Amino acid sequence: MDAEERKIPSHEVTYARLRDMILYGHLAPGAPVTIQGLIADLGAGMTPVREAIRRLTAEGALLPQGNRRVAVPQLSSEMLDQVAFARLAIEPKLAELAGGRLTPAQIDRLEAIDGKVNRAIEAGCLSDYLAANHAFHFALYKAAEAPVLLDLARSLWLRAGPSLRAVIARYGRETAPDLHREALAAMRSGDAKALAGAIERDIQQGVDHVRQSLAESS
Amino acid sequence: MDAEERKIPSHEVTYARLRDMILYGHLAPGAPVTIQGLIADLGAGMTPVREAIRRLTAEGALLPQGNRRVAVPQLSSEMLDQVAFARLAIEPKLAELAGGRLTPAQIDRLEAIDGKVNRAIEAGCLSDYLAANHAFHFALYKAAEAPVLLDLARSLWLRAGPSLRAVIARYGRETAPDLHREALAAMRSGDAKALAGAIERDIQQGVDHVRQSLAESS
DNA sequence: TGCTGGATAATTTGATCAAATTTCTTGAAC
DNA sequence: GTTCAAGAAATTTGATCAAATTATCCAGCA
């Protein structure tokens, strides 16, 4: 397994690891992210860590504090509104574009991923759920072949990531309508518009969850 | 003037310089951006240059080629469509948000900046025009107090930047309706919706220009 | 056309310097 | 005598640079 990693630069690996920590809510909002701390935790050199932090700062996943430190941002209500607006503007479009290009094999793959999502919900494993949900959305979005919009979506998910941690408390989302299933049905029938609509409602649902969690914790 | 710069970290200065080079079309699309080259050109150290490149890569202003080099991206027609879609989704919203918060003093400032835009057009100085046009839009967007959307807009302008160079060829845009003036009128009357509409048409006009330029040069 | 060696550039590490935060001490006031 | 606060020392952390390593590119040759 070392033979593969040897080809990937260390700063890419470090970036991916830090990104996933943020994306899956392993870092608390407001927690300081220090270079030295990551060197110790990830066992990486200084330069790779610096670059990972810079990249994620540029993507909005980390917030520079006035002094020259960075921290995990705490999403305020206003920022959540902005993220929600942008996600609702970008991601349904990605879904619509993807809708016209999906092959049956890709739909099968998405259905398999959605199975993982449901299993994670049943097992009550939030970490798995967040990873599988992310995989589902981005496997779909990647099919749109729209790299610019894909990058924007990635940035927006990163901004929302740390706050998903707050959802841990109110983790009873099985009652909500399963919009992934609706999306899959739209894919099978080749209805790109319906697919976009399902994704739009899925996003809205997720944002409402986070908004309620933030309201409760404040 | 050195007393002020001494407080700003070198990697910030390097980032700003490289960003402006991209933003104002000083770098040709497809041109390779090397670390060593920037060390020589900007007279900066290696670490600041690396970080500037990473940041701009994360923002989509530079594109990593499979080998470990980066280059200024050439906007394809598909990518331009994506940038246009995202800009039209985000920036009118920023204008609308700003519309409700603009003070008369801020509007005066915007009018002054627009004067610079017009003077640059009359003088036929593209570089000044691009800088002033950028300043006009972002002075307005900053008033929206929506940092997330502002970051997205910045990223989108960076992606479009290098291709504005192509507009040099067909630099006769005085004939187009002056949408900045319309926008200023909407600001004065406090009509946020009209302001958003003016900005939307301004973006559309700019995108059409770039699209035609790309079509001609291909 | 395919391969090999030199040149070039990117990656990574470690060392050094500068800034910021924390802690400790000292002095004064209550 | 105790407590609070201001200031200084020490520690932690970030910024920058230079050298060593490694991967990639390119030219010459079989």
Side-chain angles (χ1 to χ4, degrees):
Chain A
M1 70 180 201
D2 201 38
E4 298 162 11
E5 287 179 14
R6 201 170 302 161
K7 291 219 158 189
I8 302 174
S10 166
H11 66 262
E12 290 283 353
V13 177
T14 306
Y15 164 78
R17 291 225 275 164
L18 183 53
R19 182 201 55 199
D20 288 350
M21 286 170 68
I22 296 169
L23 203 49
Y24 302 141
H26 292 180
L27 265 49
V33 175
T34 71
I35 293 177
Q36 313 275 349
L38 288 177
I39 289 173
D41 292 350
L42 302 180
M46 179 178 299
T47 306
V49 168
R50 283 185 72 85
E51 298 191 3
I53 289 178
R54 288 272 177 271
R55 271 177 80 174
L56 287 162
T57 305
E59 290 172 330
L62 294 173
L63 206 61
Q65 324 235 265
N67 42 5
R68 41 189 187 174
R69 315 256 167 117
V70 297
V72 181
Q74 330 207 27
L75 224 51
S76 65
S77 162
E78 291 79 23
M79 289 173 102
L80 179 60
D81 286 347
Q82 294 168 43
V83 171
F85 172 83
R87 286 192 60 192
L88 288 167
I90 302 294
E91 294 181 34
K93 177 71 169 185
L94 273 168
E96 188 183 335
L97 288 173
R101 298 163 194 260
L102 282 170
T103 63
Q106 283 176 311
I107 299 177
D108 289 343
R109 240 185 71 77
L110 281 164
E111 191 138 35
I113 296 174
D114 189 46
K116 278 193 200 169
V117 175
N118 290 327
R119 277 196 296 281
I121 290 176
E122 283 167 28
C125 179
L126 184 84
S127 174
D128 284 359
Y129 166 71
L130 291 175
N133 188 48
H134 178 267
F136 180 82
H137 279 263
F138 280 88
L140 173 61
Y141 299 160
K142 233 171 252 156
E145 291 171 31
V148 174
L149 299 180
L150 188 64
D151 278 357
L152 294 177
R154 260 200 275 263
S155 173
L156 291 165
W157 277 66
L158 275 172
R159 288 175 197 267
S163 299
L164 296 179
R165 206 170 192 263
V167 181
I168 294 178
R170 39 181 300 112
Y171 186 51
R173 78 192 302 292
E174 308 86 3
T175 58
D178 190 339
L179 290 160
H180 284 189
R181 196 141 292 283
E182 273 187 41
L184 283 165
M187 292 178 213
R188 295 262 182 233
S189 62
D191 188 342
K193 282 283 180 192
L195 173 56
I199 293 297
E200 181 178 341
R201 273 171 289 145
D202 188 52
I203 295 167
Q204 191 71 63
Q205 193 182 80
V207 168
D208 286 346
H209 264 272
V210 175
R211 193 173 281 136
Q212 283 169 28
S213 297
L214 286 187
E216 283 171 14
S217 66
S218 68
Chain B
M1 68 179 199
D2 199 39
E4 298 162 11
E5 286 180 15
R6 202 170 303 161
K7 292 218 160 190
I8 303 174
S10 166
H11 67 262
E12 290 284 351
V13 177
T14 306
Y15 165 79
R17 291 225 275 165
L18 183 52
R19 182 202 56 197
D20 287 351
M21 285 169 68
I22 296 170
L23 202 49
Y24 303 142
H26 291 179
L27 264 47
V33 174
T34 69
I35 293 176
Q36 308 286 342
L38 288 177
I39 289 173
D41 292 351
L42 301 181
M46 178 178 298
T47 307
V49 168
R50 283 186 71 86
E51 299 192 3
I53 290 177
R54 289 274 177 268
R55 266 177 84 172
L56 287 162
T57 305
E59 290 173 332
L62 295 172
L63 205 60
Q65 325 241 272
N67 41 2
R68 41 193 187 173
R69 317 250 166 121
V70 297
V72 181
Q74 330 207 27
L75 225 52
S76 65
S77 162
E78 291 80 22
M79 289 174 100
L80 179 60
D81 286 347
Q82 295 168 43
V83 172
F85 172 83
R87 287 192 60 193
L88 288 167
I90 302 294
E91 293 180 35
K93 176 71 169 185
L94 272 168
E96 189 183 333
L97 288 172
R101 300 163 192 261
L102 282 170
T103 64
Q106 284 176 310
I107 300 177
D108 289 344
R109 241 184 71 77
L110 281 163
E111 191 139 34
I113 296 174
D114 189 46
K116 278 193 200 170
V117 175
N118 290 328
R119 277 196 296 281
I121 290 175
E122 281 167 28
C125 179
L126 184 84
S127 174
D128 284 359
Y129 165 72
L130 291 176
N133 189 48
H134 178 266
F136 179 83
H137 279 263
F138 280 88
L140 172 61
Y141 298 160
K142 232 172 253 156
E145 291 170 29
V148 174
L149 299 180
L150 188 64
D151 278 357
L152 293 177
R154 261 201 275 263
S155 173
L156 291 165
W157 276 67
L158 275 172
R159 289 175 196 268
S163 299
L164 296 179
R165 207 171 193 262
V167 181
I168 295 177
R170 38 182 299 115
Y171 185 51
R173 78 191 303 292
E174 308 87 3
T175 57
D178 190 338
L179 290 160
H180 284 190
R181 197 140 292 283
E182 274 187 40
L184 284 164
M187 292 178 214
R188 295 263 181 231
S189 61
D191 188 341
K193 283 283 181 191
L195 173 56
I199 293 298
E200 181 179 341
R201 272 171 289 146
D202 188 52
I203 295 167
Q204 191 72 62
Q205 192 182 80
V207 168
D208 286 345
H209 264 272
V210 175
R211 192 173 281 136
Q212 284 168 28
S213 298
L214 287 186
E216 283 172 14
S217 65
S218 64

